[in-house]
Every structure is written in C-alpha cells, then in structure tokens.
Amino acid sequence: MLSGKVAVVTGAAGGIGAAVVERFVAEGARVIAVDVADQLPDRAGVLTITGDVAEAAIWRRVADTARAEFGRLDVVHSNASVTVRAPAHELSERDWDRQIAVNLKATYLAVHECVGLLREAGGAVVLSSSVHAVVGLPGHPAYAAAKGGLVALGRQLAVEYGPHVRVNTVLPGPILTSAWDDVSEADRVRSVAATAAGRFGRPSEVAAAVTFLASDESSYITGACLVVDGGWTAMKDSA
Ligand SMILES: NC(=O)c1ccc[n+]([C@@H]2O[C@H](COP(=O)([O-])OP(=O)(O)OC[C@H]3O[C@@H](n4cnc5c(N)ncnc54)[C@H](O)[C@@H]3O)[C@@H](O)[C@H]2O)c1
C-alpha cells in the first residue's frame, strides 16, 4: 500500500507509533521514526531521529533528512503525545502549555517545515487525535483541548493544501498501550465495558486505519475524521 513512499512517524517509540512504523515498513515505505525517547525501532527501512516534536528545529532536521536521504517525503503521521491528568484548577500552567505544545503545536510545526516536500510528492498527513476531542472525560482539560484542536486543524490544513496534500485525522478510543499503565484495573474494566467491541483495541488496529489514510487507497478522502474506538463513542448505558 505504501510502496516507494517515504513517511515520518512521531511518537514512534510508543505503542501506536511503533505499530504504525511496523505496518508502514511492511507495506513498502521507508520511514523516519521520531521520538523524544531513545527506544526507537532499530530495523531495516527505518531511520531514527531523537528529539522533541514541539521544537521547530526537529522538524527542520526531519525535512532536511528526508530531502538528503530519500529526495522526497510522502507521509507525515503526527502521533506523539503527552498527558497530564488533573482538573483545570489543579493543572499547572507549565503542564497546560506542554500538552498544547506536544499534542497540537507540533502538527503546525510539521506542516510549516514539511509541506513543500509533501506538495511535491502529492502527500498525505495523518493526525492522531482522540475520542477526547468529542467527549468530555474528567481530568483532561489540556489534552482534550489539544485533541479537539487537531480535529479543526486537520480540516483547516486539508482545505489549505488541497488538492496536492490530503490531511485526515484518526480518533482512537481505548487502545492498550503503555499510556494505560497507570490506569486502575477498575477503570480499565469500565472502559472496555463502554465499547461495543467489548475489548481494548490493539495498536495494530489503529495502524491499519493510519495506513489506509496514508495510502492512495484513500485518494478521495481528505479533511475527514476516522474514529477507531470499538464503538466507544457510539455507546451509552443510559437514556
Ligand atoms: N492508547 C490510547 O488509548 C489512545 C487513545 C486515544 C488517542 N491516543 C493517541 O494515540 C497516540 C499514540 O498513543 P499511544 O497510546 O501509543 O501513546 P504512548 O504513550 O505509548 O506513546 C506516545 C509516544 O510519544 C512520545 N513523545 C512524547 N512527547 C514527545 C515529544 N515531545 N517529542 C517526541 N515524542 C514524544 C513518547 O515518548 C511515546 O513514545 C497519541 O497521540 C495519543 O494521544 C491513544
């Protein structure tokens, strides 16, 4: 599905990012994997960059690397994320700013530095938002604001850069990654019970949606949101 394409994946050391890298490589892409953590995938077809996606310098490095190493850039998957759980009155200004920077501003920086290459390639951008963009859950004010912002930004970028670049957004629901490590067993059980699928999603199931949106199989889809949540947003247990 991605034969001959060059893709950037951020948050590539995390659960979903690593699954996307694996799937992209399996589909024939060459990948630049970016993460602030240094446990990046060490495998053929993957070039790694360690750095902070909230800094413009890392995106200049990504664009320079894509140009120098591959002469093109077809796909940007903006997926890195941080979460600090606290209601607004307890959330520090520093933690608010950090979450907005990593979860939202990074996509602006990505496009600012990479859109020239994406236009040349007729490329695709896939953003990782969340069901938090459309449903309120206590303790996530900055995360939800950033993820809601990504939905609007994705639409905006699709309009701005069409027809050359397509931009779409995935909204994952409960996907079992290390992001759930500090969630209690009781809360995990409640989350699973709130899905029509009756289980957590797997990172590979989000990767499948991202791969579709990154590939020419979705050539007439842009400015769209794809919810990947096992029916979590569709389901309510009260009238
Ligand atoms: N897992 C879920 O249930 C779920 C649900 C909804 C949305 N999402 C979204 O999916 C995406 C991936 O989630 P995940 O579960 O794989 O998370 P994860 O915590 O496993 O991975 C996130 C990765 O982002 C990296 N990262 C954090 N800050 C960074 C920075 N400043 N620069 C570069 N990299 C940075 C981390 O090191 C980590 O490897 C995120 O955008 C998340 O918000 C996940």
Side-chain angles (χ1 to χ4, degrees):
M1 287 171 83
L2 300 175
S3 184
K5 294 191 190 288
V6 175
V8 177
V9 178
T10 71
I16 292 170
V20 170
V21 171
E22 191 180 328
R23 181 71 192 268
F24 276 14
V25 170
E27 296 294 344
R30 288 165 295 170
V31 176
I32 301 173
V34 181
D35 204 292
V36 76
D38 50 16
Q39 305 98 347
L40 279 160
D42 179 17
R43 53 179 300 173
V46 180
L47 205 152
T48 61
I49 294 180
T50 305
D52 182 350
V53 294
E55 290 179 3
I58 199 77
W59 286 105
R60 282 196 286 274
R61 202 169 142 205
V62 164
D64 289 348
T65 303
R67 204 175 284 112
E69 297 289 331
F70 306 113
R72 63 187 294 143
L73 180 60
D74 302 87
V75 175
V76 172
H77 178 38
S78 186
N79 167 75
S81 168
V82 284
T83 314
V84 179
R85 288 190 191 84
H89 68 283
E90 289 175 5
L91 186 70
S92 70
E93 189 177 351
R94 190 163 172 264
D95 285 341
W96 169 275
D97 286 346
R98 184 72 186 143
Q99 289 178 90
I100 299 296
V102 175
N103 297 338
L104 180 59
K105 181 185 168 190
T107 291
Y108 147 72
L109 293 173
V111 170
H112 190 264
E113 298 302 328
C114 297
V115 79
L117 280 162
L118 290 168
R119 280 180 128 140
E120 282 170 28
V125 177
V126 185
L127 308 180
S128 282
S129 176
S130 165
V131 291
H132 285 254
V134 291
V135 171
L137 286 163
H140 296 81
Y143 182 80
K147 294 300 188 180
L150 281 177
V151 168
L153 180 59
R155 213 164 31 226
Q156 172 68 26
L157 296 172
V159 170
E160 195 86 54
Y161 299 113
H164 309 290
V165 181
R166 294 183 303 108
V167 184
N168 291 293
T169 306
V170 289
L171 280 67
I175 310 298
L176 199 53
T177 68
S178 60
W180 285 81
D181 283 355
D182 58 353
V183 176
S184 71
E185 183 58 25
D187 282 346
R188 288 179 182 218
V189 168
R190 281 197 320 138
S191 292
V192 165
T195 65
R199 62 173 176 82
F200 274 107
R202 293 182 284 273
S204 61
E205 293 174 306
V206 181
V210 172
T211 303
F212 167 67
L213 292 173
S215 78
D216 296 341
E217 291 294 302
S218 59
S219 52
Y220 200 54
I221 301 177
T222 192
C225 288
L226 182 52
V227 178
V228 186
D229 70 346
W232 187 92
T233 46
M235 194 158 139
K236 290 280 164 291
D237 67 358
S238 64

